[in-house]
Amino acid sequence: MIVQLRAVSKSFGDRLAVDALSLDVPAGICFGLLGPNGAGKTTTLRMIYGVTRPNSGAIQVFGLDISRNPRAVRARLGVTLQQNVLIEALTPEENLRVFGRYHLLREPELSRRIGEVIDFLELGSHAKMPVRQLSGGFQRRLAIALSLMNRPELLILDEPTTGLDPAVRLALWSRIRELRAAGTTVLVTTHYMDEAQRLCDRVAIVLAGKVVEEGPPADLIAAHLAPEAVELDCSPDEEAALLAGDSPSLRRLRVGNRVTFYLDNAAPLIEQIRRQDRGRHRPLVVRPTNLEDIFLALTGTSLEAGL
Ligand SMILES: Nc1ncnc2c1ncn2[C@@H]1O[C@H](COP(=O)(O)OP(=O)(O)OP(=O)(O)O)[C@@H](O)[C@H]1O
Ligand SMILES: [Mg+2]
């Protein structure tokens, strides 16, 4: 295991942010840490790279106890924080130079690595303007470039794509895939479930500081909900009428007026909806059940038939 947490807890005052959390991240995969705001993801990552100390439990990174070997561990990992840490008055190139020196890189290797990460994240066109003049997306790319300067074996990314436009997001995920293919282990948090489903080999869903589910996205989906989802706007009475037939225990999720039904076969329900429509023809969405459904089912809102 590249990262191993055993019964790790962390409190801030009387608030328990991480609650006896255990986690195994195997080598060479992209592992997603998912969970609602305040679930304890950032706190967990901070403990893994050794800037926050747990109150109890054990953390090993590369098989080393992080509290005893913080320097040895940090030399081998790269971190992009939820908030960018950049020197605004300097250019991207200068930021990379400062950070490379922190990692004790010397010329000509230092310049070689700077060129490498600038190319990798396509920062070339903006490499010589002060960071404060860069758009949010370029600043984020620079933050990720910084975390790659030491060619880390483990890359920790806390919400790397929040606030990025769709094209840059896609480009970034493809870069992360390349890193993984080259053997880098990636530990990432994201609130985009489509992204997590596409990119992560395994995910852990964290709720109130505890892992409530862990595994490959497809396995989690199959374990919790039927494979077909039907979404439509309907009142609670209409919903009850739809369920009165042959599927009273159908799992479903209501958010406001929008209901999603989960079924093995959507066809009979669609017929029932059309009968109820009586010419209205409400728009429906029929789609495969996805990781976002599982996230919502596990983390709350009102999944009425429960799990
Ligand atoms: N330095 C701190 N002092 C006090 N409380 C903190 C501190 N850091 C985190 N917390 C609390 O710990 C809990 C977990 O926070 P954390 O930042 O780990 O959540 P998160 O899962 O990363 O959330 P988000 O998705 O919003 O980034 C929250 O209740 C938060 O308020
Ligand atoms: Mg966070």
Side-chain angles (χ1 to χ4, degrees):
M1 290 298 154
I2 292 287
V3 179
Q4 193 170 67
L5 275 72
R6 287 293 171 270
V8 171
S9 294
K10 175 70 187 177
S11 308
F12 297 102
D14 56 6
R15 174 172 291 171
L16 190 58
V18 176
D19 183 5
L21 185 141
S22 296
L23 200 68
D24 287 308
V25 181
I29 72 162
C30 181
F31 191 100
L33 208 52
L34 314 177
N37 291 135
K41 303 178 298 295
T42 297
T43 306
T44 300
L45 295 184
R46 289 172 61 88
M47 290 191 288
I48 291 170
Y49 63 85
V51 292
T52 296
R53 266 179 174 271
N55 298 116
S56 58
I59 301 178
Q60 290 207 329
V61 185
F62 310 121
L64 300 169
D65 180 336
I66 178 73
S67 62
R68 295 214 192 105
N69 309 277
R71 279 172 173 273
V73 168
R74 265 184 236 142
R76 296 165 62 185
L77 57 78
V79 179
T80 299
L81 302 171
Q82 196 166 347
Q83 252 82 43
N84 293 332
V85 183
L86 304 170
I87 308 169
E88 299 223 316
L90 300 184
T91 66
E93 210 172 270
E94 290 160 347
N95 270 272
L96 290 164
R97 195 163 291 279
V98 168
F99 200 68
R101 291 216 182 94
Y102 165 81
H103 276 297
L104 307 178
L105 293 171
R106 303 259 176 277
E107 293 298 356
E109 183 61 14
L110 179 57
S111 289
R112 183 160 39 230
R113 296 265 183 113
I114 292 171
E116 194 177 283
V117 297
I118 283 180
D119 284 350
F120 191 61
L121 287 152
E122 295 173 44
L123 284 162
S125 58
H126 293 67
K128 295 194 190 305
M129 53 200 273
V131 163
R132 78 166 82 81
Q133 291 176 16
L134 297 179
S135 72
F138 272 98
Q139 292 194 12
R140 204 66 189 136
R141 280 148 78 171
L142 174 58
I144 295 167
L146 287 167
S147 67
L148 293 174
M149 276 298 281
N150 60 332
R151 294 195 184 134
E153 293 161 60
L154 169 66
L155 181 62
I156 296 177
L157 302 168
D158 198 353
E159 293 189 34
T161 59
T162 297
L164 298 185
D165 76 48
V168 175
R169 258 176 77 192
L170 277 180
L172 254 185
W173 286 112
S174 112
R175 290 293 184 265
I176 292 172
R177 276 200 199 91
E178 282 176 43
L179 289 168
R180 180 187 55 183
T184 309
T185 306
V186 182
L187 177 56
V188 63
T189 74
T190 178
H191 288 297
Y192 301 111
M193 293 303 117
D194 57 329
E195 228 170 48
Q197 190 174 341
R198 271 192 242 164
L199 188 86
C200 296
D201 303 292
R202 300 182 76 86
V203 296
I205 297 181
V206 180
L207 202 55
K210 274 187 179 306
V211 174
V212 293
E213 262 301 344
E214 199 268 340
D219 291 5
L220 260 52
I221 295 168
H224 286 287
L225 290 171
E228 298 194 1
V230 178
E231 286 180 37
L232 91 156
D233 288 336
C234 73
S235 69
D237 284 351
E238 287 168 331
E239 179 186 341
L242 287 172
L243 294 170
D246 49 4
S247 44
S249 64
L250 200 63
R251 282 172 181 166
R252 62 213 184 272
L253 174 80
R254 171 176 285 279
V255 181
N257 204 36
R258 188 81 172 167
V259 178
T260 307
F261 298 89
Y262 301 99
L263 319 99
D264 289 322
N265 173 13
L269 180 73
I270 295 168
E271 267 174 42
Q272 243 176 306
I273 292 168
R274 288 306 171 222
R275 276 198 297 277
Q276 195 179 64
D277 272 350
R278 294 203 193 86
R280 258 191 306 175
H281 214 83
R282 281 169 292 180
L284 358 134
V285 176
V286 184
R287 57 171 176 80
T289 302
N290 59 36
L291 195 59
E292 184 158 286
D293 297 305
I294 304 305
F295 182 91
L296 293 172
L298 290 172
T299 61
T301 67
S302 51
L303 190 74
E304 303 191 7
L307 278 168

